[in-house]
Amino acid sequence: MPADSMAELISLLSVKSPYAILGTPESEWVDFKSVSPKGPYDLSTDKGKFEFAKDVTAFANAGGGLIVCGFKAKKRQSELYEVAEKVTPFEKKLVNTDSYKDVLTEYVRPLLGVKFLWFDHPADDPEAAGHYFVIEVSALPDSERWALVTRGLSENGQFVKGSWTVPIRNGDSTAYLAPDEVYRLMNDGLRTRYAPAPAAAAPEPAADRAKAREDLRATLGMEETPVLFFQSAPDQPHGLLPGMYADDGLRHRLSHQDTLRPSGFNWSLAHKRPESREGGFLLSGAPRRGLLIEADGAVTAAAAATPDMLGWGMEHYNDGSGPRSRRISVFALTEMTLEYFRLVDQYVLPLTDGAWTHRVVASDFGRPPARTLGPGDDPDFPFQGSPQPATGNNWNYAWKALGDPERDAYEALRHIYALFGLDISANPFTDIDRISTAKLLEKR
């Protein structure tokens, strides 16, 4: 049965069922592309760059959508649109995602929300082999439309300097914003720019809940312990968070967390219910970890950077440079981070409208003996890898919540790795711009 939504199509690729997608028609939300020896788009030519920029921008100017590479589409006599009729998986080396990002950065305004996803073809298929490349394009908010491609294309396939175009996905094809409509929008914008308007206060970023960190640290008895904090707060608090004490509300979610593993590195405490605390909740697993939710929904979580928490299993490895207990486990760190955002992004943020800010704070990581983190996976005995010491003692960074646990976990770890002078690409559980749940679950 053909896929009838973006979520269903992605799900079929995730479970390696590409043949179930055959028969899906191209539409306002999906475009299928077969792959030439130059890849889905030949970015060595102006025409290829324009086609890619145009396709992405067209989806952004409509309702968002997927460009699914690795399927041949054809129009049947009985169909209005082209449909996916054949799987054509291909080798990953045909796509350089950095080149794709560079094209969008250079030729599209404004910068759009685009994700690049890879999916494997079933390994036991004797008829085909390779991978599928999906470009997921987010819809541009109405307040920011329209996106445009900063170049037009001549009849001989060359960029025309000084030209631009506004493509829009229309059914299974691309339309362009008419010149009359562009003229009207420009004049409307000029009139709005010069019309007097009441001054509006810009929303303030979420405050740094430093006191919540201090309170939680004291409650957990971690005053002398290096601690990694995760925090999330609404930019505009609206009083008591709805659903805190409902039968199936936040308290129930904290008591029955949907964790990746029954006994993994997470924030769930078996047989322990959250304690009511000043209109919120406290879930204490002292002296290893704990989680505090304030009345307005702000969340503070603390994990000890010790051998029985973030340094789990690392006391067996000694690189000869000092105490063995100071090394952070890559696996424990990554899973704890992802589990935090799986809990907060899925069950706390949706309880109130408005933007949220996430924050990660590493406290006392540089205090002797400094915590260390190594590139790659955790070492196998004998000791391998070159761990790097924390380069600061009070590391505090924040970003606007993305609402996607894998992407927010990536942002958190990107900042944590920088504390050790490492790039996030040194983490083996990443997948482009996110932490891969699948890769993490492969780790035993």
Side-chain angles (χ1 to χ4, degrees):
M1 184 176 179
D4 59 8
S5 69
M6 290 191 286
E8 183 178 0
L9 191 149
I10 291 292
S11 177
L12 290 172
L13 288 175
S14 297
V15 298
K16 299 182 181 180
S17 297
Y19 290 106
I21 296 171
L22 299 182
T24 300
E26 293 187 333
S27 65
E28 69 281 354
W29 61 267
V30 64
D31 184 32
F32 293 104
K33 294 190 71 68
S34 56
V35 179
S36 74
K38 296 288 187 177
Y41 296 91
D42 184 359
L43 299 187
S44 66
T45 67
D46 288 350
K47 183 178 180 181
K49 293 175 182 177
F50 176 81
E51 288 296 321
F52 173 57
K54 178 260 295 180
D55 289 349
V56 169
T57 306
F59 275 120
N61 281 331
L66 304 175
I67 302 172
V68 184
C69 308
F71 287 84
K72 181 180 179 182
K74 186 177 181 181
K75 196 170 190 177
R76 301 172 182 169
Q77 290 184 349
S78 59
E79 301 284 351
L80 292 175
Y81 304 129
E82 290 189 352
V83 301
E85 68 162 10
K86 183 180 180 181
V87 299
T88 58
F90 59 98
E91 296 182 12
K92 287 187 176 182
K93 66 181 182 181
L94 295 182
V95 172
N96 182 337
T97 54
D98 287 339
S99 297
Y100 280 61
K101 292 176 184 177
D102 290 344
V103 169
L104 296 180
T105 300
E106 184 172 0
Y107 297 112
V108 177
R109 299 291 182 275
L111 189 62
L112 304 177
V114 178
K115 291 190 285 188
F116 301 111
L117 310 171
W118 282 103
F119 298 94
D120 298 330
H121 187 78
D124 58 354
D125 185 358
E127 302 296 328
H131 313 275
Y132 301 94
F133 181 55
V134 177
I135 304 165
E136 182 180 345
V137 185
S138 299
L140 198 63
D142 289 339
S143 60
E144 298 180 16
R145 292 186 181 176
W146 298 82
L148 58 85
V149 180
T150 62
R151 293 287 190 277
L153 205 65
S154 67
E155 292 183 357
N156 62 356
Q158 302 296 313
F159 277 142
V160 179
K161 292 184 177 180
S163 64
W164 49 268
T165 185
V166 182
I168 310 165
R169 184 73 177 180
N170 182 22
D172 67 336
S173 60
T174 299
Y176 295 89
L177 202 63
D180 289 346
E181 180 66 8
V182 174
Y183 175 79
R184 184 188 66 78
L185 290 170
M186 289 174 61
N187 278 276
D188 287 349
L190 288 172
R191 283 192 290 271
T192 301
R193 176 184 296 179
Y194 293 111
E204 295 182 0
D208 185 353
R209 305 277 179 120
K211 186 176 185 303
R213 295 197 297 272
E214 294 173 3
D215 290 347
L216 181 59
R217 192 172 195 173
T219 300
L220 299 175
M222 293 181 175
E223 294 96 329
E224 302 301 320
T225 303
V227 180
L228 180 63
F229 291 100
F230 300 97
Q231 286 192 291
S232 305
D235 289 4
Q236 296 292 316
H238 298 289
L240 185 67
L241 186 73
M244 290 276 276
Y245 300 99
D247 290 342
D248 192 30
L250 193 52
R251 176 163 51 190
H252 175 81
R253 292 292 185 187
L254 290 177
S255 301
H256 303 82
Q257 293 182 37
D258 176 23
T259 58
L260 295 173
R261 310 171 202 267
S263 57
F265 295 95
N266 52 57
W267 306 91
S268 177
L269 299 176
H271 312 300
K272 190 166 187 178
R273 291 176 58 82
E275 308 168 22
S276 296
R277 181 181 172 117
E278 298 181 359
F281 298 116
L282 170 68
L283 195 57
S284 172
R288 301 172 65 227
R289 67 195 188 280
L291 188 144
L292 173 68
I293 299 183
E294 298 176 69
D296 64 358
V299 183
T300 302
T306 56
D308 57 355
M309 193 68 258
L310 294 180
W312 184 270
M314 294 295 99
E315 69 273 15
H316 301 298
Y317 305 106
N318 188 346
D319 61 358
S321 64
R324 289 178 283 181
S325 61
R326 66 181 185 166
R327 181 162 178 152
I328 302 296
S329 163
V330 173
F331 172 62
L333 172 66
T334 305
E335 185 161 302
M336 286 291 287
T337 301
L338 180 58
E339 288 282 30
Y340 173 82
F341 292 105
R342 289 181 74 246
L343 175 64
V344 174
D345 281 353
Q346 294 182 100
Y347 299 117
V348 181
L349 269 62
L351 294 178
T352 183
D353 295 330
W356 283 64
T357 295
H358 290 317
R359 185 181 302 275
V360 61
V361 178
S363 180
D364 290 332
F365 270 43
R367 187 180 68 190
R371 304 299 99 172
T372 65
L373 181 67
D377 204 344
D378 292 328
D380 294 323
F381 191 83
F383 180 85
Q384 295 178 349
S386 177
Q388 304 298 313
T391 57
N393 211 36
N394 293 290
W395 192 257
N396 187 328
Y397 281 90
W399 68 98
K400 290 300 178 186
L402 302 170
D404 180 331
E406 290 187 338
R407 292 188 64 197
D408 278 321
Y410 178 93
E411 283 300 309
L413 288 169
R414 186 169 69 88
H415 290 104
I416 295 170
Y417 267 64
L419 170 62
F420 296 91
L422 296 171
D423 187 79
I424 182 57
S425 60
N427 184 297
F429 306 108
T430 60
D431 186 4
I432 305 177
D433 63 348
R434 62 184 54 240
I435 296 301
S436 170
T437 302
K439 289 182 180 180
L440 201 58
L441 288 175
E442 290 173 0
K443 177 80 172 179
R444 294 182 179 274

